[in-house]
Amino acid sequence: MSLRKKIADSEAVQNWVARRIASYFRLVHRSSRWQRIGFETLDALVDDGEPVIVVLWHQRLTQSPYLFPLDKAPICTITSSARAGSMAGRVQQLFGMDTIAMSSHKRHVALSREVLGKIRQGISIGIAADGPRGPERVCSTVPLIWARTSGKRVFAVTYSARNAHEAGTWDRLFLPRPWTEGVILCREWTQSVPRKADADQIEALRLDLQALLNDLTAEADRMVGRTPNSGEG
């Protein structure tokens, strides 16, 4: 193993990097002015101890600790077991979020069993609908399956900021700068997933959730004076 890989895989190094990233996210949030809109229903549910399923685009993950009321209830997010996903999980844990690592070796049935176990414990679930590798803004069916199995309500969340940079990653990761103005939006996905939905029904529902995420993200961008970018999906 090369020295570079040893350093990159070092627990101490990874924890140090995660703390630096978390510090930057906190700086961005605390130094900026934010509007939080549309969370009334979600807040009421978690106040009553009702877990929910929260979905967002992978591009808008960097402010994910502020897209759910962590002061009211716990949430568990689904991350990749790859190095970047592992780092994202470390950062989220520093904000008090629980995580489940999704890997190619973990069968979907095993992952779903783990997720549903969290929901039964009263823990909400957060997932990037197009993660962990895309395609960008193409919603997977995973949130639909979990909504159908658990019976829990689904909420789309997003944010945008006036001053930000898009990274050269597959998802064009959105990186807001400190001392900016931003908006955090939430909207419930009101469709229900039939217990015996066929493939055509699932596809129609997947596209409906995808459209909601795109519309909500575009709305957030317009509110801060940015030109919406719908991605390739």
Side-chain angles (χ1 to χ4, degrees):
M1 181 183 294
S2 68
L3 178 60
R4 178 180 295 180
K5 192 173 189 305
K6 285 183 180 179
I7 293 173
D9 290 341
S10 164
E11 283 287 318
V13 170
Q14 291 183 20
N15 288 334
W16 182 87
V17 172
R19 288 194 295 271
R20 301 287 76 73
I21 293 172
S23 295
Y24 181 77
F25 290 171
R26 289 190 180 100
L27 171 63
V28 168
H29 194 79
R30 292 172 179 172
S31 67
S32 303
R33 291 184 296 175
W34 298 91
Q35 296 182 70
R36 186 174 182 269
I37 300 171
F39 282 83
E40 294 82 4
T41 302
L42 188 152
D43 285 347
L45 286 170
V46 297
D47 274 340
D48 289 340
E50 182 69 23
V52 298
I53 297 171
V54 177
V55 296
L56 73 164
W57 286 140
H58 201 277
Q59 184 195 45
R60 306 294 164 123
L61 277 175
T62 58
Q63 289 291 295
S64 59
Y66 303 103
L67 303 183
F68 182 84
L70 289 171
D71 58 329
K72 297 176 179 289
I75 189 170
C76 178
T77 63
I78 311 305
T79 63
S80 166
S81 61
R83 187 172 292 155
S86 175
M87 180 58 65
R90 289 173 190 268
V91 172
Q92 290 175 340
Q93 288 170 2
L94 290 171
F95 285 90
M97 304 166 77
D98 192 6
T99 63
I100 294 175
M102 178 173 56
S103 72
S104 59
H105 303 296
K106 183 180 291 186
R107 296 177 60 192
H108 288 300
V109 172
L111 176 63
S112 293
R113 187 180 299 118
E114 200 169 349
V115 166
L116 294 172
K118 294 288 185 181
I119 291 175
R120 284 193 291 270
Q121 295 171 39
I123 299 172
S124 293
I125 297 296
I127 183 171
D130 56 344
R133 297 183 181 89
E136 179 194 3
R137 298 201 184 189
V138 174
C139 184
S140 76
T141 60
V142 172
L144 310 181
I145 304 306
W146 291 346
R148 178 178 64 185
T149 306
S150 69
K152 299 307 176 184
R153 292 161 74 170
V154 177
F155 291 84
V157 296
T158 195
Y159 82 95
S160 191
R162 185 177 301 276
N163 297 318
H165 169 71
E166 289 187 0
T169 53
W170 68 264
D171 59 348
R172 288 178 284 186
L173 188 65
F174 194 78
L175 300 168
R177 297 184 175 92
W179 297 284
T180 187
E181 296 178 1
V183 62
I184 299 170
L185 300 184
C186 174
R187 187 170 298 157
E188 183 173 6
W189 185 59
T190 55
Q191 301 289 343
S192 60
V193 185
R195 297 289 295 182
K196 295 183 179 180
D198 60 27
D200 289 340
Q201 289 174 301
I202 290 293
E203 176 63 8
L205 290 167
R206 184 192 71 80
L207 290 173
D208 190 81
L209 179 56
Q210 179 173 292
L212 173 60
L213 282 164
N214 276 333
D215 291 346
L216 192 67
T217 304
E219 180 180 340
D221 285 341
R222 284 192 293 267
M223 289 180 69
V224 297
R226 300 184 67 87
T227 301
N229 188 332
S230 64
E232 297 177 358

